[in-house]
Amino acid sequence: MRRLGLVATDLDGTLLDRETYDFAPARPALDALRERGVPLVLVSSKTRAEMEPLADAIGATGPLVVENGGAVVVPREAVAGWPPWRQVDGDRAVLVLGVGRDRLLAELPAVAAEAGARVRPFAAMSVGEVAALTGLPEPQAALAMRREYDEPFVVEDPPGDDRAVDARLDRAARHRGLRVTHGGRVHHLTGPADKGQALRALLHAWPGGVRGEVVGLGDAPNDLALLLAVDRPIVVPRPDGSVDAALAVRLPSAERAPGPGPAGWARAVLAVLAGEPLPQVGA
């Protein structure tokens, strides 16, 4: 059994409860990781404005992968041993991997038209609308709207099967050098970077290298790239106990967490720390 070197995790529906955004049930595993000195990297579609206070609340002091891989953010005081980063912003160093929001908003109408779908981005919504859509309180919804490298949108009156619509949207985006992924509640238009590419860049730059096995946890299609980038992928099931179909097809040999949300996340991480196997997704 390889030594655990690092845990990289999605947030919504994984470390955070899908509806309440609570992480309290994960506290025993978070404490165990901290006690053993295992770095925890948060990887999310959330903005930097959302993730920094959330990381503080969780006690995650490591780098953050924000906006579906649009950027990697590292505390500046920890950057001395890292390669040069493209910009320093406040007390953080930022490696930008994504495409700016202005371009994403300019391209989205053409992507939607080619896919035959009617869409509405966060940029066209009020704070109240985003709060209602996401279940976030309005102050947190306002932080979620501070996008830089990823534009969330909803598909209105989707024509036909959801998976077919998703495929058409992504194909139209790729014609323009972009990507569309589907998270728990919304779709995301991003540049060519993704969670997996951002994590690989982070691991490549890690001072002294990561010594041990890299474990990744996620629950949604936009976590696929993250799960493909790690040594030991663990899929967190949905509240009804099912596993996302896209992840089940692409990762049948990945392990499956014992339950949904932060409680299932904690049980999976504690099993990893104890050297215990988990059932496979395809079993």
Side-chain angles (χ1 to χ4, degrees), residues 51 118-120 153 156 166 215 218 239 243:
M51 288 182 69
R118 186 162 60 92
V119 307
R120 192 156 183 253
F153 64 92
E156 300 179 325
D166 290 355
V215 171
V243 168

Side-chain angles (χ1 to χ4, degrees), residues 54-79:
L54 182 59
D56 288 342
I58 290 171
T61 59
L64 307 174
V65 175
V66 306
E67 296 194 44
N68 279 316
V72 179
V73 182
V74 178
R76 185 164 64 176
E77 61 271 18
V79 172

Side-chain angles (χ1 to χ4, degrees), residues 4-9 213-217 230-234 269 272:
L4 177 58
L6 180 146
V7 172
T9 183
E213 187 174 54
V214 177
V215 171
L217 299 100
V230 301
D231 301 314
R232 187 173 179 179
I234 300 174
V269 170
V272 170

Side-chain angles (χ1 to χ4, degrees), residues 14-215:
T14 305
L15 177 53
L16 304 182
D17 184 272
R18 182 184 294 270
E19 299 300 327
T20 67
Y21 300 103
D22 182 29
F23 62 86
R27 180 55 66 192
L30 292 169
D31 291 344
L33 291 173
R34 184 177 64 254
E35 289 166 4
R36 299 193 187 194
V38 178
L40 177 65
V41 175
L42 306 184
V43 185
S44 178
S45 62
K46 291 183 182 294
T47 65
R48 175 182 167 187
E50 291 176 277
M51 288 182 69
E52 288 181 341
L54 182 59
D56 288 342
I58 290 171
T61 59
L64 307 174
V65 175
V66 306
E67 296 194 44
N68 279 316
V72 179
V73 182
V74 178
R76 185 164 64 176
E77 61 271 18
V79 172
W82 296 72
W85 295 74
R86 296 187 184 179
Q87 64 188 73
V88 173
D89 185 1
D91 62 351
R92 301 288 192 270
V94 182
L95 174 65
V96 177
L97 300 168
V99 169
R101 188 185 195 188
D102 288 347
R103 182 186 166 198
L104 298 176
L105 288 171
E107 297 278 13
L108 182 57
V111 169
E114 183 175 328
R118 186 162 60 92
V119 307
R120 192 156 183 253
F122 268 25
M125 300 181 190
S126 67
V127 173
E129 287 175 304
V130 171
L133 174 65
T134 61
L136 291 167
E138 288 200 1
Q140 281 69 48
L143 297 179
M145 296 179 73
R146 289 169 57 179
R147 316 304 299 184
E148 297 178 274
Y149 318 107
D150 169 312
E151 185 59 26
F153 64 92
V154 295
V155 178
E156 300 179 325
D157 302 321
D161 177 72
D162 287 350
R163 291 179 65 182
V165 174
D166 290 355
R168 290 202 301 272
L169 284 165
D170 188 46
R171 186 162 54 247
R174 287 176 184 269
H175 290 165
R176 294 160 176 82
L178 306 173
R179 293 182 182 178
V180 167
T181 58
H182 196 176
R185 288 178 169 86
V186 297
H187 291 73
H188 297 264
L189 179 64
T190 68
D194 57 34
K195 290 181 177 182
Q197 290 178 5
L199 180 62
R200 289 188 183 97
L202 179 61
L203 296 175
H204 180 74
W206 200 276
V210 174
R211 298 181 181 180
E213 187 174 54
V214 177
V215 171

